[in-house]
């Protein structure tokens, strides 16, 4: 039951807290601020994968197993995102706002179109909600194998879920969705972490190999969301070097978190 609690704290509370923070900040949040927030989220998640999840996986089962898990996590989320793309297609075309480089770099500013902001937020909510499953698996497997590892993963994933929740909430709020609904939806996007935690709890006592695969697969899922969703969104919103610097700041903060 402890790993399920850890999963709930990291997923539901972490994402919900991010949504709550966005409802406070968005009262006076500019387009650039939203862009920087997304960039920071991408940076901190990248750092946690590189300096937190992957080193643990390598220590448990070595580099080949860890790379295999990383690739597995990426492929799983790619497949799930493809399903989401198919489901969200409409008669007016795909809801994927950056399906081509032309759309990514030449489309009008998303923030000038509330419908696109809501659409963007929903797609990001679904994608991040799906990748919370392998995160929960990592917490469940790690916590069952070593309670201290479970606590560490809970804290790390909680912290990185806050900017994720902010990244989901920002476009929904900018699109005109009610603040209470946004906070509820954002918190619920962390609920799949509970499912992952239950699965991980069954994996944790099997072997070091299973734990390493779980940790590295979670890392692969996170990296796909960062480089496939969050960073492209920040590029679409504002194309300048400040966003890159904020991403690097997120990497540094994530590194500090892993050393606490």
């Amino acid at each position: 039951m402890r790993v399920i609690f850890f999963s709930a704290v990291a997923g539901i509370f972490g994402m919900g807290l991010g949504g709550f923070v966005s409802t406070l900040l968005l009262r006076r949040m500019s387009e650039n601020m939203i862009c920087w927030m997304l960039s920071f989220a991408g940076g901190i998640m990248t750092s946690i994968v590189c300096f937190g999840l992957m080193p643990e996986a390598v220590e448990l089962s070595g580099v080949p197993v860890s790379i295999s898990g990383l690739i597995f996590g990426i492929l799983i989320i790619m497949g799930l995102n493809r399903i989401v793309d198919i489901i969200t297609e409409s008669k007016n075309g795909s809801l994927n706002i950056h399906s081509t480089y032309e759309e990514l770099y030449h489309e009008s500013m998303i923030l000038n179109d509330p419908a696109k902001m809501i659409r963007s937020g929903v797609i990001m909510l679904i994608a991040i909600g799906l990748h919370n499953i392998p995160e929960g698996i990592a917490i469940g497997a790690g916590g069952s194998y070593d309670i201290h590892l479970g606590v560490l993963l809970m804290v790390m994933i909680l912290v990185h879920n806050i900017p994720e929740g902010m990244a989901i909430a920002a476009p929904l709020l900018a699109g005109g969705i009610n603040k209470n609904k946004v906070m509820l939806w954002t918190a619920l996007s962390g609920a799949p972490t509970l499912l992952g935690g239950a699965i991980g709890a069954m994996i944790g006592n099997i072997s070091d190999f299973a734990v390493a695969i779980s940790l590295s697969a979670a890392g692969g899922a996170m990296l796909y969301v960062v480089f496939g969703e969050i960073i492209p969104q920040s590029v679409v919103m504002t194309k300048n070097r400040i966003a890159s610097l904020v991403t690097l700041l997120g990497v540094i903060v994530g590194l500090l978190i892993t050393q606490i």
Side-chain angles (χ1 to χ4, degrees):
M1 290 300 294
R2 285 182 298 183
V3 294
I4 302 299
F5 173 74
F6 292 164
S7 300
V9 172
I12 297 175
F13 180 74
M15 299 294 291
L17 182 58
F20 174 73
V21 171
S22 275
T23 62
L24 296 179
L25 294 179
L26 208 66
R27 293 175 180 175
R28 298 181 179 179
M29 188 177 291
S30 66
E31 296 179 0
N32 285 340
M33 182 63 71
I34 295 175
C35 170
W36 298 338
M37 181 181 64
L38 292 170
S39 300
F40 181 78
I44 196 171
M45 284 187 285
T46 300
S47 186
I48 288 174
V49 172
C50 294
F51 303 117
L53 295 182
M54 293 307 296
E56 290 285 350
V58 170
E59 183 177 349
L60 286 171
S61 292
V63 173
V65 171
S66 300
I67 292 177
S68 298
L70 188 74
I71 295 173
F72 177 71
I74 293 171
L75 292 177
I76 289 296
I77 297 300
M78 285 180 65
L80 291 174
N81 281 3
R82 178 56 184 162
I83 294 173
V84 171
D85 288 341
I86 293 174
I87 293 174
T88 54
E89 281 186 357
S90 65
K91 295 181 180 179
N92 295 326
S94 172
L95 298 185
N96 188 343
I97 60 172
H98 47 264
S99 58
T100 67
Y101 286 111
E102 289 75 20
E103 291 177 357
L104 179 61
Y105 291 104
H106 300 292
E107 189 172 33
S108 60
M109 289 292 287
I110 298 174
L111 290 173
N112 291 332
D113 189 335
K116 288 181 180 179
M117 287 301 299
I118 294 174
R119 191 166 58 185
S120 170
V122 169
I123 292 173
M124 190 175 293
L125 185 151
I126 295 172
I128 293 179
L130 289 173
H131 107 270
N132 278 333
I133 296 176
E135 283 186 4
I137 292 175
I139 294 175
S144 297
Y145 176 80
D146 180 350
I147 190 64
H148 299 291
L149 177 58
V151 172
L152 175 63
L153 290 172
M154 177 191 71
V155 173
M156 290 166 55
I157 293 174
L158 165 65
V159 172
H160 102 257
N161 273 347
I162 295 174
E164 272 194 342
M166 294 170 66
I168 290 174
L172 295 175
L173 290 165
I177 300 296
N178 178 272
K179 291 183 178 181
N180 292 331
K181 288 184 178 179
V182 170
M183 287 189 289
L184 176 62
W185 292 358
T186 304
L188 289 178
S189 70
T193 312
L194 296 176
L195 173 61
I199 297 172
M202 294 184 291
I203 296 175
N205 293 320
I206 297 176
S207 65
D208 289 354
F209 174 84
V211 176
I213 286 291
S214 300
L215 297 178
S216 55
M222 291 183 212
L223 289 179
Y224 182 83
V225 172
V226 170
F227 292 100
E229 296 293 334
I230 294 179
I231 291 179
Q233 290 288 6
S234 67
V235 172
V236 171
M237 288 181 181
T238 303
K239 298 179 279 292
N240 58 45
R241 294 182 180 180
I242 295 179
S244 298
L245 294 175
V246 173
T247 300
L248 293 175
L249 175 62
V251 171
I252 294 172
V253 171
L255 175 58
L256 293 174
I257 291 170
T258 63
Q259 304 305 309
I260 294 176

